[in-house]
Amino acid sequence: MTSLRPKIARMRAARSAQRGVVLFIALIVLVAMTMAGLAMMRAVDTNNLIAGNLAFKNAASSAGDAAVEAARAWLTGKTPGELEADQAGYYANWQPTFNPKTFPWSANGMLVGTDSNGNTIRYVAHRMCNESAKTIDETDCVKVATVSVGSTKGGGSYGSAPLAGTSLVFYRITARIEGPRFTVSYIQAFTY
């Protein structure tokens, strides 16, 4: 029996030493799990911010349709003679050095307004002609030929009896949409 007591004492000492080591390992694992949880929360938060920014960017791009429609309505309300000179938000030539990123939008762009999403919408229209202050017949313009009403049915083969038509000038509409969270979108459309 005397030989049994030292063995029991050694076993108790080993068990108490193990309890301290297990506690230390458990604390290390707990700290590591906490760090992993924090990293996961940060990643999810970043993904939400990115998704929100993309939604703002898409809303700003969609608001460009309002600018294009406003510019088209403005252009169709003018006579060809009125479109031979520069006006606010309109240039009678294509301005080859036009750069939407460096253009002074606040001073020279036509303000459409602010939509319900907080997007400020502006546009500028360019007549696709090489020179200003001239009629479309006097200057080099990008044109599309239109045909008048009628038909060539029964009047010869295809292309041998063309209909008389007029030429319409192309216009480039550039819209700048500035939205929340510093989102900026540019939309360009051509119309005639």
Side-chain angles (χ1 to χ4, degrees), residues 50-88:
I50 291 170
N53 287 342
L54 287 173
F56 279 119
K57 184 76 171 173
N58 288 340
S61 296
S62 295
D65 293 340
V68 170
E69 185 57 31
R72 190 201 60 77
W74 185 87
L75 287 168
T76 56
K78 300 292 181 186
T79 64
E82 291 175 307
L83 295 174
E84 292 172 8
D86 294 348
Q87 301 175 32

Side-chain angles (χ1 to χ4, degrees), residues 86 91-103 124-132 139-140 142 172 174 188 190:
D86 294 348
Y91 294 93
N93 67 350
W94 59 51
Q95 296 196 341
T97 60
F98 175 74
N99 182 351
K101 291 185 177 182
T102 59
F103 182 75
V124 64
H126 291 93
R127 182 173 75 158
M128 298 307 291
C129 293
N130 194 26
E131 299 177 43
S132 297
T139 186
D140 295 331
V142 180
R172 177 182 64 208
T174 306
Q188 278 192 333
F190 283 87

